[in-house]
Amino acid sequence: MKTILVVGNGMVGYKFCEKFVAKEESKQFKLIVFGEEPRPAYDRVHLSEFFENQDAKALEMAPAEWYSENGIELIVDERVADIDRTNKTITTAKDREFFYDHLVLATGSSAFVPPIKGVEKEGVFVYRTIEDLEGMLAYAAKLKAQNPNAKAAVLGGGLLGLEAGKAVMDMGLEPHIVEFAPKLMPRQLDSRSSQVLQLKLESIGLNIHLSKATNQILGDDGYITGMEFGEDDVLDVDMLVVSAGIRPRDELGKNSGLEVGVRGGIVVDNKMQTSDSNIYAIGEIALYNHMIYGLVAPGYDMAGVAVDQIIGKTETLMPSEIDMSTKLKLIGVDVASFGEPFMPAAKGHSIIFENKTQHLYKRINVSLDGKELLGGILVGDASDYSMLHQIYLNGMPIPEDASQLILPASEGSAFGSAMDLPDDAVICSCEAVTKGDVCCSVLDDGNETMKDVAKATKATTGCGGCKPMVADLIKESLKTLGKTVKERLCEHFDYSRQELFDLAKLKGITDYDTLLDEVGTGNGCEVCKPAVAAIFASLYNETANRQETIQDTNDRYLANIQRNGTYSVVPRVAGGEITPKQLMAIGRIAQKYDLYTKITGGQRIDMFGAKLNELPLIWEELIEEGFETGQAYGKSLRTVKSCVGSTWCRYGMDESVSFAVEIENRYKGIRSPHKFKGGVSGCIRECAEARGKDFGFIAVEGGWNVYVGGNGGATPKHALLLAEKVDKETAIKYVDRFIMFYIKTAQPLQRTAPWLEKLEGGITYLQNVVINDSLGIVKDLDDEMQALVDSYVCEWKEAVETPEIRERYTHFVNSEETDSNIEYVALRDQKMPKEWA
Amino acid sequence: MSLSVLNTYESVAANNVKVWFKAAPISKFPKNGGACIKYKDKQIAVFNFTREGTWYACQNLCPHKMEMVLSRGMIGEENMEPKVACPLHKNTFSLKSGENLNGSLDAIATYPVKIESDFVYVGFSE
Ligand SMILES: Cc1cc2nc3c(=O)[nH]c(=O)nc-3n(C[C@H](O)[C@H](O)[C@H](O)COP(=O)(O)OP(=O)(O)OC[C@H]3O[C@@H](n4cnc5c(N)ncnc54)[C@H](O)[C@@H]3O)c2cc1C
Ligand code: SF4
Ligand code: SF4
Ligand code: FES
């Protein structure tokens, strides 16, 4: 039996063990691992989490038992001191000797401490091990006991330095970052993004000092009191964390005559072999391509290569190009860079979006022909990082106008779905998990939750940056399984919305608590509450006023909550038809309450900026003027948009306004799985955009064409033709049934367009149901719709007239004051809420 | 709204209460829902979690966009942990620890609540 010795039990040393025991061939070897630190390998990447809970166990890569259970001998707290290459032995600091056939060096790096005068002083730390953090915590606690305003500086404004800066801030010390370069994160960011990052960090309280070369560390009694950058340029600090780069721990290599780089690191080839073919080096000690890769992902790959080489799978080699994309975590601000963040003008073009007021900077670099994404930088909002990173890694096609990839207005829409990625796209680079692995884990192995998939594939267990994308893949894969997967509303109801709808109806249950007690479990949540509220509304046309605490906030207060916690008010203007007198009334009331007014896309008037306590007062006046609620807040009918039609238009084939008014009044107040809208055009010129609505009517020679399942918004879709050239009564009947069928069978928050898309058999099936009565339910649908139409009440009238409901509209229950937090700025003769910080 | 306001909210443990502030009669708080009270300069969301038979209190300020809105959020539970969902973007926070359950926002401050002769009292350390 051959012996493998691994020196260093860090992240990569551990990964070597993990990958090794997974191989059948490992049985033919004996594996002994030496670690200098007092505990088994832990997750250094998430080291900062130690500040939160001081739970070293939680960071462990695997507990000590794992090693013995897998036949690995783990010797911690014992440094390897020497290698004797001729006799193939090593000696430890405790003077024990071990023989090897293969030796793997995974000694990693230590923090680099520049030779500045005074760095040996007490209060100067590095940021690398759990012991370092324990030392910092103890010292910070001591400082704060003496002086609550104690300050701490971090030397180095790179990736790690900023993380350390956040850590000292969280320890309650005044944080300062001191950087030698004229910008933060000089290796990953260009100067503009660096400035944006600086603004953001300053806004959360970090003090940043750039272009500072530290001459000496000040302090008389052996502990630090300040840093000196030049004459008269001094920063008083009580603690310092040095984060000025890393130094490979290559002592063993040097002393035994292995080839090392000029600036350190043990030279390896693409087999991870050093200049001695029995000795391998992996992780942050290995100098590959003249570089030390200070990231875990390449280290993990190296571990895999070394394992394969040793067990004889010599065809496994380290790729020559290594992805250095990074996403900064923890600091409370999104920063990411990928591919080629800086772009030499000869290679391509850059597209830059910058908004300093929101601390936002996005840059992408595309090839000269505009077809390929080469790299980029994201500061302030890195939510698109995963997708952009994937497009870059897989050389996927990008939109002709590449700016869509970063422009805020088109977010999401330019990307298509994560399912479009090739199966071998690496989603989790820390653990090298591909899209195929994630999807198979769902499709073939039956995992359904993030937790299970993470356990099975290890995806997301590294830096965690891939979580959103993994979540998407799980969701999408589950969807493709269609009916075999049980739709479950949430942890409280083991039913789909449709099942719950039928259950509530069958059992005649009318309140949430009873439903939860009878067919659910636990105490509910923000997913099932509004879904159930909508079911009750559709079943009994109950307004949102009765069970107000299960409603979404908009329904609970019968108004749309806006950015700053105020509300908007929208009275119904059926078909967009409004009298001059009504216009004046709205104008008068808006002026009285100082509301911002705007015409909506649905042909009515929105008044913004009403405080909670003003809502009933405003509505009282509106109702007096003959208005009703427009239900702009509800998952219900919004508007029926119309063109003027034959009443005024020379092309008009029929009276579109009259039809729109009639139909809007018919469906008003009906609550549904999601909002729905209608449109009526007087001829095929389609000025009312009826085919962009959930239902639409277009006047043609000989009657009305009826369309359903259209959508504007984020995923525009033209409505499909349900019936042609029918008279008005028939048109209404079909749409009645369509809406009712949708209400009963859709998922929560599913618009009619995706509902129709998912409906097996599509529009033909729908035609069969509503026109040919293939399910034998049209009588029910007709009756149910008529019941809803007949039971309409204006819920605002109900609210204004009922003292108990009116009472809900106060900001404080123990004070008459209003929210002093609301701030406005002027905007073109009106006002708008102050920007979000 | 600046961070300084956020920093005025700090969790108070039950054994650390110096002042029991008599906030309002219990009838002012909807069943399984919340309402906002004012204490000095603070806005505190108080929740009457009837289904659990428990009361909770936390800052009204959502740390996501610094709006005073949490009292208007829906309450519920996730894996037995009572929580409130911000009405603006549905970030959820534990009503016990204040922790952000579906993201990595800062935790919100929570406060002890007691009921005496049909009145709601919230505990503060100052
Ligand atoms: C705070 C922090 C945050 C980080 N964040 C990220 C991140 O977000 N993303 C990322 O990709 N990377 C990150 N890194 C870098 C990442 O942690 C390293 O790339 C990784 O730990 C390297 O693994 P390694 O096993 O090569 O080295 P190490 O983890 O340093 O392990 C080497 C081990 O060998 C031991 N050792 C050394 N010499 C001897 C000897 N002679 N005998 C016995 N034992 C010895 C050392 O004590 C150490 O335990 C971060 C690092 C830090 C410190
Ligand atoms: S859709 Fe036809 S009828 Fe209506 S306004 Fe346009 S042109 Fe006139
Ligand atoms: S109004 Fe609609 S489109 Fe405009 S910002 Fe709000 S959600 Fe987006
Ligand atoms: S403001 Fe609370 S979730 Fe956005």
Side-chain angles (χ1 to χ4, degrees):
Chain A
M1 184 178 261
K2 296 207 164 174
T3 303
I4 306 173
L5 301 187
V6 176
V7 185
N9 184 222
M11 297 187 75
V12 174
Y14 163 78
K15 187 57 64 171
F16 178 91
C17 299
E18 187 191 291
K19 295 199 169 175
F20 178 73
V21 298
K23 304 279 179 186
E24 190 53 34
E25 293 86 341
S26 65
K27 308 228 159 59
Q28 300 150 23
F29 294 86
K30 176 168 175 50
L31 180 57
I32 309 178
V33 182
F34 299 86
E36 170 199 47
E37 294 188 62
R39 61 188 101 236
Y42 52 89
D43 182 354
R44 213 178 293 290
V45 169
H46 291 105
L47 188 62
S48 300
E49 287 172 14
F50 183 76
F51 284 121
E52 284 161 31
N53 42 29
Q54 280 152 59
D55 181 1
K57 269 251 158 289
L59 286 178
E60 260 176 10
M61 304 293 292
E65 309 83 71
W66 177 87
Y67 296 85
S68 50
E69 279 160 18
N70 284 286
I72 301 171
E73 188 178 339
L74 173 66
I75 302 174
V76 293
D77 214 356
E78 189 160 348
R79 187 170 55 87
V80 172
D82 205 8
I83 308 176
D84 177 349
R85 287 167 48 198
T86 339
N87 293 314
K88 302 225 271 183
T89 57
I90 59 119
T91 322
T92 70
K94 293 183 184 159
D95 232 357
R96 298 203 285 162
E97 206 179 78
F98 295 80
F99 173 83
Y100 67 78
D101 292 290
H102 304 277
L103 179 64
V104 179
L105 300 177
T107 49
S109 290
S110 55
F112 167 60
V113 181
I116 300 170
K117 201 174 143 210
V119 280
E120 72 293 339
K121 289 196 193 321
E122 219 184 305
V124 181
F125 295 89
V126 297
Y127 199 66
R128 179 86 197 173
T129 64
I130 290 188
E131 285 68 31
D132 293 334
L133 268 60
E134 284 173 341
M136 286 167 67
L137 280 168
Y139 199 76
K142 205 171 83 192
L143 284 179
K144 277 199 307 188
Q146 292 162 1
N147 170 12
N149 301 320
K151 299 176 182 180
V154 174
L155 187 69
L159 211 65
L160 274 187
L162 296 181
E163 205 176 308
K166 173 76 163 39
V168 296
M169 182 160 98
D170 290 346
M171 278 185 241
L173 302 170
E174 183 185 304
H176 294 261
I177 306 268
V178 177
E179 167 61 47
F180 176 72
K183 60 179 186 185
L184 292 171
M185 294 182 64
R187 296 221 287 174
Q188 290 88 3
L189 300 185
D190 59 11
S191 13
R192 283 173 73 180
S193 52
S194 199
Q195 275 172 24
V196 172
L197 174 63
Q198 182 176 352
L199 284 175
K200 172 71 193 177
L201 292 176
E202 285 169 347
S203 79
I204 64 173
L206 254 60
N207 301 288
I208 313 243
H209 312 267
L210 298 175
S211 306
K212 294 277 184 215
T214 311
N215 285 342
Q216 63 164 320
I217 309 293
L218 304 173
D220 299 329
D221 295 330
Y223 56 85
I224 179 174
T225 56
M227 301 165 76
E228 191 223 274
F229 309 118
E231 260 178 75
D232 302 328
D233 191 0
V234 167
L235 178 67
D236 291 335
V237 290
D238 309 287
M239 184 168 137
L240 175 67
V241 183
V242 179
S243 175
I246 53 173
R247 268 295 135 90
R249 300 265 319 253
D250 55 10
E251 318 80 88
L252 285 173
K254 270 190 192 139
N255 295 343
S256 60
L258 291 177
E259 187 186 345
V260 293
V262 260
R263 275 182 292 145
I266 298 176
V267 176
V268 294
D269 58 14
N270 57 1
K271 299 180 178 143
M272 293 297 115
Q273 258 166 3
T274 64
S275 53
D276 179 334
S277 63
N278 295 317
I279 305 183
Y280 297 80
I282 56 176
E284 269 186 359
I285 178 67
L287 190 69
Y288 178 60
N289 282 343
H290 309 287
M291 227 177 114
I292 298 285
Y293 296 89
L295 295 174
V296 280
Y300 283 5
D301 287 347
M302 292 177 180
V305 173
V307 165
D308 278 2
Q309 288 292 338
I310 292 176
I311 62 171
K313 290 199 176 136
T314 48
E315 65 283 2
T316 314
L317 298 173
M318 192 68 189
S320 55
E321 294 234 353
I322 292 180
D323 180 32
M324 290 291 284
S325 308
T326 32
K327 190 169 163 200
L328 182 66
K329 52 184 194 304
L330 273 171
I331 182 106
V333 38
D334 278 5
V335 183
S337 77
F338 61 96
E340 173 62 74
F342 315 107
M343 172 96 318
K347 265 178 74 185
H349 299 298
S350 301
I351 301 172
I352 295 178
F353 171 83
E354 180 183 76
N355 181 349
K356 280 201 176 139
T357 60
Q358 300 205 332
H359 304 141
L360 214 60
Y361 178 92
K362 298 182 177 187
R363 164 179 179 162
I364 49 172
N365 303 317
V366 298
S367 57
L368 289 169
D369 61 7
K371 293 215 165 94
E372 214 184 322
L373 182 62
L374 301 177
I377 298 173
L378 304 169
V379 172
D381 171 16
S383 48
D384 293 333
Y385 169 75
S386 304
M387 203 64 204
L388 288 169
H389 188 201
Q390 288 299 334
I391 294 178
Y392 156 73
L393 282 180
N394 298 293
M396 292 166 69
I398 56 176
E400 207 166 306
D401 173 9
S403 64
Q404 283 174 11
L405 291 173
I406 50 169
L407 282 182
S410 64
E411 246 164 0
S413 53
F415 289 129
S417 131
M419 291 305 262
D420 299 341
L421 293 168
D423 270 352
D424 57 4
V426 175
I427 303 293
C428 169
S429 52
C430 294
E431 296 287 344
V433 185
T434 62
K435 175 201 155 196
D437 297 338
V438 173
C439 295
C440 284
S441 151
V442 176
L443 298 173
D444 303 342
D445 306 341
N447 295 307
E448 292 185 7
T449 63
M450 181 73 121
K451 241 195 207 141
D452 294 343
V453 171
K455 213 161 162 193
T457 64
K458 297 198 134 259
T460 74
T461 59
C463 71
C466 57
K467 265 191 194 151
M469 190 161 271
V470 173
D472 264 8
L473 288 173
I474 298 176
K475 205 174 86 197
E476 294 298 322
S477 307
L478 284 175
K479 266 194 206 155
T480 61
L481 288 179
K483 287 185 196 130
T484 60
V485 177
K486 192 158 169 57
E487 296 273 5
R488 196 167 185 237
L489 205 54
C490 65
E491 66 177 80
H492 306 106
F493 288 100
D494 207 2
Y495 298 102
S496 68
R497 180 183 184 275
Q498 183 178 352
E499 290 167 328
L500 215 50
F501 190 103
D502 294 340
L503 275 171
K505 184 171 175 193
L506 200 76
K507 296 183 171 244
I509 295 173
T510 57
D511 67 274
Y512 176 79
D513 278 333
T514 316
L515 189 70
L516 189 54
D517 288 340
E518 291 204 8
V519 305
T521 54
N523 294 321
C525 69
E526 78 281 3
V527 175
C528 56
K529 284 181 176 182
V532 169
I535 291 175
F536 289 149
S538 303
L539 281 176
Y540 314 117
N541 219 7
E542 168 177 312
T543 68
N545 288 328
R546 192 172 77 85
Q547 303 182 58
E548 87 276 18
T549 55
I550 61 167
Q551 312 289 340
D552 251 319
T553 189
N554 285 354
D555 284 311
R556 176 167 173 191
Y557 295 105
L558 309 177
N560 296 53
I561 195 163
Q562 300 298 331
R563 238 179 48 184
N564 60 353
T566 63
Y567 289 87
S568 72
V569 171
V570 191
R572 184 163 306 285
V573 178
E577 185 181 71
I578 187 164
T579 66
K581 184 165 166 284
Q582 285 175 314
L583 275 174
M584 283 191 282
I586 289 186
R588 176 183 63 74
I589 295 168
Q591 196 164 37
K592 176 165 170 191
Y593 292 94
D594 191 18
L595 305 174
Y596 167 95
T597 51
K598 186 175 184 309
I599 308 292
T600 72
Q603 301 186 331
R604 46 193 187 174
I605 299 168
D606 205 335
M607 295 172 256
F608 292 84
K611 290 188 175 177
L612 197 54
N613 58 306
E614 293 172 333
L615 286 173
L617 304 171
I618 294 170
W619 274 107
E620 196 158 42
E621 297 200 30
L622 285 169
I623 289 167
E624 197 129 305
E625 296 282 356
F627 286 104
E628 289 181 327
T629 176
Q631 255 112 9
Y633 44 81
K635 305 288 176 240
S636 54
L637 177 78
R638 294 292 168 85
T639 65
V640 179
K641 188 173 175 177
S642 68
C643 71
V644 287
S646 62
T647 2
W648 293 90
C649 176
R650 64 202 159 112
Y651 297 112
M653 309 285 298
D654 210 329
E655 263 192 79
S656 44
V657 184
S658 311
F659 194 4
V661 172
E662 177 181 345
I663 204 79
E664 182 161 342
N665 282 326
R666 180 169 179 81
Y667 296 146
K668 69 184 175 191
I670 293 179
R671 290 170 73 197
S672 45
H674 210 308
K675 63 184 175 188
F676 65 108
K677 305 175 181 183
V680 186
S681 279
C683 80
I684 44 136
R685 286 170 189 78
E686 249 283 71
C687 295
E689 295 162 340
R691 292 190 63 197
K693 308 290 181 206
D694 297 274
F695 63 89
F697 306 101
I698 300 175
V700 290
E701 191 71 59
W704 293 92
N705 281 359
V706 182
Y707 295 87
V708 294
N711 202 350
T715 38
K717 190 164 187 312
H718 261 152
L720 301 174
L721 186 65
L722 181 71
E724 231 174 333
K725 290 189 200 166
V726 291
D727 61 27
K728 204 157 91 177
E729 285 62 46
T730 316
I732 294 177
K733 189 149 269 163
Y734 291 166
V735 171
D736 276 2
R737 295 170 185 167
F738 155 72
I739 293 174
M740 220 40 238
F741 190 45
Y742 158 70
I743 288 178
K744 294 175 78 167
T745 58
Q747 297 299 319
L749 302 183
Q750 188 177 39
R751 293 283 302 262
T752 59
W755 169 78
L756 187 52
E757 235 161 70
K758 296 272 149 60
L759 195 67
E760 228 168 288
I763 186 76
T764 328
Y765 178 77
L766 185 67
Q767 282 165 335
N768 275 327
V769 174
V770 305
I771 301 173
N772 307 328
D773 198 10
S774 61
L775 297 180
I777 56 170
V778 297
K779 166 114 189 18
D780 290 344
L781 296 177
D782 288 346
D783 291 348
E784 283 158 348
M785 178 55 86
Q786 198 53 47
L788 290 182
V789 173
D790 291 342
S791 57
Y792 168 80
V793 286
C794 169
E795 49 202 5
W796 258 115
K797 190 157 185 286
E798 181 180 74
V800 167
E801 287 170 355
T802 318
E804 303 86 76
I805 300 178
R806 265 188 99 131
E807 238 183 58
R808 295 173 193 161
Y809 293 87
T810 93
H811 190 78
F812 296 111
V813 290
N814 65 336
S815 159
E816 298 285 301
E817 284 171 59
T818 58
D819 183 6
S820 59
N821 181 39
I822 301 172
E823 292 172 87
Y824 287 102
V825 294
L827 174 77
R828 290 184 294 278
D829 298 336
Q830 297 200 60
K831 63 175 182 182
M832 63 172 259
K834 209 172 140 187
E835 288 279 348
W836 273 336
Chain B
M1 173 67 21
S2 64
L3 281 161
S4 59
V5 176
L6 182 60
N7 292 335
T8 61
Y9 294 95
E10 252 178 66
S11 287
V12 175
N15 55 5
N16 245 337
V17 172
K18 303 235 166 61
V19 192
W20 280 108
F21 174 63
K22 187 173 183 183
I26 53 174
S27 59
K28 293 275 188 183
F29 301 86
K31 291 210 168 80
N32 292 306
C36 182
I37 64 149
K38 192 172 164 85
Y39 171 68
K40 293 190 178 167
D41 280 339
K42 292 191 169 70
Q43 297 197 17
I44 305 293
V46 177
F47 299 98
N48 177 7
F49 206 143
T50 332
R51 275 196 76 89
E52 265 193 1
T54 330
W55 290 72
Y56 296 102
C58 66
Q59 68 190 50
N60 195 30
L61 185 69
C62 176
H64 178 215
K65 293 293 179 185
M66 304 294 164
E67 299 296 353
M68 291 291 187
V69 290
L70 291 179
S71 60
R72 292 176 246 166
M74 274 180 277
I75 57 173
E77 63 167 15
E78 181 179 337
N79 297 322
M80 316 287 277
E81 186 79 7
K83 63 172 176 177
V84 57
C86 175
L88 282 178
H89 310 97
K90 295 274 161 68
N91 276 303
T92 55
F93 302 89
S94 159
L95 288 170
K96 283 187 177 155
S97 66
E99 215 181 308
N100 178 201
L101 299 173
N102 58 351
S104 52
L105 291 171
D106 287 342
I108 55 171
T110 57
Y111 300 85
V113 183
K114 70 172 183 184
I115 307 297
E116 262 170 32
S117 11
D118 284 350
F119 254 88
V120 177
Y121 293 76
V122 181
F124 295 96
S125 60
E126 51 183 357

